[in-house]
Amino acid sequence: AAKGMTVYVTGRSKQTATATLKGETLSGTLDETVASINEAGGIGIGITCDHGDDEQTRQVFEQIGQEQDRLDILVNNAAYIHDSLIDPGGFWEKPLDLVRILDIGLRSAYVASYYAAPLMIRNRYGLITFTSSFGSACYMHGPAYGAQKVGYDKLAADMAIDLENENVAAVSLWLGPQRTERTEIVLRHRGEQYDDFMAAAETPEFNGHIIHALAADGALMEKSGQTLVTAELATKYGITDTGGKQPPSYRDQLGEPRIPHPARVI
């Protein structure tokens, strides 16, 4: 947004926040997000969408096509996060609903990419991103969360092969801990568990700048299909977070991205 881009943002809550965590209301409605985009210097356009509904998702990209006739960047970030995600206990002891992250998270990203790709191919340019994490390599928040992140990495790798002749890239991005409205609530309830980890947390704006720099990288197609660590990209592109902070990579502590085998079976 700070680069003056037109940014479409989707969500279920337009004016009144309906999502809660640990009994607290989560801010960040569509109208609030659009206002933040405009304040940063971009043009924000909010579209009410439940990404659990494929038809609503299709209509989002139909609207973008009608209004812009192009799409440069897709950020697949929508996900269902259950209140019990970070609670202690085995997966069988938590609500079965935690598995919905594989529907609104993994499957919904496939659907969004499915409708975004033709808009990008039409203009012979585009970047599809998936906001993954180190939870793809290590145990983090349980098997449903981990499977969603591994799935993101695999979607990027395989979509890149399908798109390699279209000048459209697909990458999975391993973000560090994020400082958001959700994590602020988590810290109030589970500070003793996450205080140290969150001291170096990244802001969403930090990763937005990284995605913008990646999209402008002349060697973007060489990175297509890869899983990349955003903190490492930030160092490469000379990007810092709020106050000049340089968030660290957790490669040594939590693992590194898997390199796909080059074999192809059609």
Side-chain angles (χ1 to χ4, degrees):
K3 305 297 183 180
M5 299 181 75
T6 298
V7 181
Y8 283 79
V9 59
T10 60
R12 291 185 301 167
S13 304
K14 179 171 172 53
Q15 295 177 317
T16 304
T18 57
T20 61
L21 176 64
K22 303 300 181 185
E24 297 188 42
T25 300
L26 284 165
S27 60
T29 63
L30 274 177
D31 286 354
E32 290 170 342
T33 305
V34 166
S36 296
I37 292 168
N38 293 337
E39 185 178 345
I43 301 172
I45 300 173
I47 304 177
T48 303
C49 176
D50 178 352
H51 281 280
D53 184 328
D54 294 353
E55 176 58 19
Q56 289 188 37
T57 302
R58 185 196 67 78
Q59 290 175 6
V60 167
F61 292 95
E62 180 179 64
Q63 179 177 335
I64 294 171
Q66 291 172 346
E67 295 176 356
Q68 308 295 333
D69 195 36
R70 65 182 297 164
L71 177 63
D72 298 323
I73 301 170
L74 171 65
V75 180
N76 282 304
N77 188 55
Y80 173 82
I81 304 295
H82 195 280
D83 269 18
S84 301
L85 179 69
I86 63 170
D87 289 347
F91 70 89
W92 65 94
E93 298 172 302
K94 299 181 184 181
L96 184 59
D97 258 6
L98 264 76
V99 79
R100 288 184 62 198
I101 196 173
L102 301 182
D103 296 320
I104 305 172
L106 183 56
R107 185 184 185 280
S108 61
Y110 183 100
V111 175
S113 302
Y114 177 89
Y115 288 116
L119 285 172
M120 296 177 171
I121 292 169
R122 180 188 307 171
N123 291 287
R124 298 285 301 166
Y125 173 78
L127 170 62
I128 297 173
T129 67
F130 301 86
T131 55
S132 187
S133 84
F134 289 89
S136 176
C138 68
Y139 182 92
M140 186 179 290
H141 307 324
Y145 179 88
Q148 188 241 353
K149 297 308 182 186
V150 170
Y152 267 0
D153 298 351
K154 183 61 171 169
L155 285 181
D158 288 2
M159 286 183 182
I161 291 174
D162 286 352
L163 292 166
E164 63 186 352
N165 295 319
E166 307 294 347
N167 200 44
V168 175
V171 299
S172 188
L173 300 173
W174 281 12
L175 282 57
Q178 299 295 293
R179 187 164 291 279
T180 64
E181 295 87 352
R182 179 177 291 275
T183 55
E184 292 294 339
I185 293 175
V186 169
L187 283 174
R188 287 197 288 274
H189 289 265
R190 302 283 290 279
E192 74 289 348
Q193 183 176 348
Y194 292 106
D195 266 344
D196 292 342
F197 207 42
M198 291 302 295
E202 304 163 357
T203 64
E205 291 80 6
F206 172 71
N207 287 292
H209 289 307
I210 292 167
I211 291 171
H212 181 268
L214 185 62
D217 191 325
L220 173 61
M221 290 305 296
E222 296 174 15
K223 298 176 176 63
S224 189
Q226 296 183 31
T227 296
L228 305 168
V229 179
T230 54
E232 296 170 4
L233 287 174
T235 301
K236 169 183 169 61
Y237 294 132
I239 295 170
T240 57
D241 207 343
T242 305
K245 184 174 66 176
Q246 195 76 61
S249 168
Y250 294 91
R251 179 186 292 264
D252 292 340
Q253 301 97 314
L254 301 178
E256 60 185 14
R258 170 182 170 272
I259 299 176
H261 194 280
R264 299 186 182 188
V265 180
I266 306 300

